Amino acid sequence: MGETSEARGELDRLGRSLREQLVALITDLTPGADLRLLFLDEPSVADWHEPPRYHYSALFRGERPAAVTAAEIASRGAVLLRSAGWDVTTSEVDDGGWLCSVVVAHRDGNHLRIRAGDHTSAVMFSGQTPALALRPPKPFQWPEPVRTPDTVTPGHVLCYECEGLGWCPGCGGRGWVPSEPHGLARCRECHGRRVCVICRGGGELAVSQLSDYQRGHYPGLA
Ligand SMILES: [Zn+2]
Ligand SMILES: [Zn+2]
């Protein structure tokens, strides 16, 4: 809905290019790996800020050939990536007492990482494309109230909490609210239930069932 095919086409192109690069690396560094396990099928949300941004990402485990050390895997990987135009950094990191060789590479906003250690046969490959927005930002449309002073059922009053909206007045029925750090945060008023917690979506309350506390919201009631 509202997805621009241009942006999606560009993201898919980035995903295919990342896949090709990963396949070349995996085939060279860990021959015999089952490439059917390299999943890069659907983009996922990398950033929930409006508009959400999507990327392709993959994590793959290959097996280090017995005759090859982790450091050799890393230096060979770095050579392959540099020759393909990637900006490469290699380092040694301590993984719970074991030394691991790590290759980190960047190219046009893409990110690739290879990690190998002599204590394990696993060689981990991971990669992400840049994150792209697939549609323009969309302002939130506040929903229409389910009850108004004109449509309130006889013997009922508009809900004092949502004033007839029915949906949670904190989030407008989204179940979440925009948040600076993560883009989205679960709504603290309805805890994701989306409807008003007082009227449970009805937008109105039966006068006969109001508690004394609730009557306090309706000073005009007899
Ligand atoms: Zn809410
Ligand atoms: Zn309500």
Side-chain angles (χ1 to χ4, degrees), residues 31-207:
D34 185 355
L35 289 165
R36 286 172 306 177
L37 299 176
L38 177 61
F39 299 117
L40 269 161
D41 303 333
E42 270 298 310
S44 56
V45 176
D47 184 343
W48 283 105
H49 289 90
E50 178 63 25
R53 292 187 303 133
Y54 293 77
H55 68 176
Y56 279 95
S57 70
L59 182 65
F60 186 86
R61 181 195 160 120
E63 294 292 318
R64 181 166 53 81
V68 183
T69 65
E72 286 166 345
I73 291 268
S75 73
R76 171 81 183 142
V79 167
L80 289 172
L81 285 166
R82 281 201 185 98
S83 70
W86 292 73
D87 200 357
V88 181
T89 314
T90 59
S91 59
E92 305 264 282
V93 299
D94 182 12
D95 178 15
W98 298 98
L99 213 50
C100 284
S101 300
V102 176
V103 179
V104 173
H106 299 273
R107 188 179 70 187
D108 302 330
N110 294 274
H111 184 92
L112 250 172
R113 195 167 182 273
I114 309 167
R115 181 188 177 96
D118 286 328
H119 63 296
T120 169
S121 63
V123 179
M124 300 306 299
F125 299 88
S126 63
Q128 292 99 40
T129 66
L132 301 187
L134 299 183
R135 58 164 173 77
K138 196 167 53 186
F140 175 58
Q141 289 278 328
W142 208 256
E144 291 296 321
V146 298
R147 293 287 167 186
T148 66
D150 293 335
T151 63
V152 69
T153 309
H156 290 66
V157 283
L158 286 184
C159 171
Y160 58 86
E161 181 70 15
C162 66
E163 295 172 340
L165 187 66
W167 298 102
C168 168
C171 62
R174 288 176 290 185
W176 53 268
V177 291
S179 101
E180 271 306 310
H182 304 293
L184 299 187
R186 176 175 277 237
C187 173
R188 283 200 268 185
E189 287 186 38
C190 67
H191 300 284
R193 284 191 292 257
R194 303 179 57 207
V195 292
C196 169
V197 294
I198 300 299
C199 64
R200 300 203 168 90
E204 60 183 9
L205 301 167
V207 173

